[in-house]
Amino acid sequence: MKPISPPNSNEPLTDSQIDRIIEMAWEDRTPFDAIKFQFGLVEADVKALMKKELKWSSYKLWRTRVENCKTKHSAKRNTDIVRFKCTRQRTISNNKISKR
């Protein structure tokens, strides 16, 4: 099986990065732009990763959820929201949220 890697990188994603991408993809408030910004994967790449890593039934549930979620796509998102993270959240470094 071919390892998954971002389009502009020769290095494959690690298991922890793949887990984080899946976690971000399941979150309703995390847009695909945030995944692209952090990992370099566009929406089509995330869909392919999810299809490869999830069970078929879980993938179908996720796709249905994403299609109906207004916050996952920038075009459907409220124009007042211009950030990737919660205002109460401090800086994110190496995919870890800093403690308050």
Side-chain angles (χ1 to χ4, degrees):
M1 204 176 287
K2 183 182 172 192
I4 299 167
S5 60
N8 297 329
S9 174
N10 293 335
E11 295 180 24
L13 294 169
T14 64
D15 289 339
S16 62
Q17 289 175 322
I18 291 171
D19 288 345
R20 180 63 182 141
I21 293 168
I22 291 171
E23 182 181 349
M24 291 173 77
W26 271 106
E27 294 170 351
D28 289 337
R29 291 187 179 192
T30 305
F32 286 111
D33 290 343
I35 298 172
K36 182 180 179 185
F37 177 78
Q38 198 163 6
F39 296 100
L41 297 175
V42 294
E43 183 177 348
D45 296 332
V46 174
K47 288 177 184 176
L49 175 105
M50 296 293 277
K51 192 173 190 176
K52 179 179 178 259
E53 295 291 325
L54 298 178
K55 294 187 299 185
W56 180 247
S57 59
S58 297
Y59 174 74
K60 287 193 320 187
L61 286 171
W62 175 76
R63 286 290 293 136
T64 303
R65 184 174 171 158
V66 167
E67 288 172 4
N68 296 323
C69 185
K70 293 181 181 179
T71 57
K72 288 302 274 187
H73 301 88
S74 297
K76 295 181 183 178
R77 201 173 173 135
N78 186 343
T79 55
D80 295 337
I81 302 172
V82 292
R83 56 184 158 57
F84 289 149
K85 62 179 185 172
C86 177
T87 55
R88 295 178 307 276
Q89 179 180 326
R90 290 189 183 172
T91 59
I92 297 177
S93 59
N94 297 329
N95 298 333
K96 294 181 181 175
I97 301 172
S98 300
K99 304 277 184 194
R100 288 187 187 217

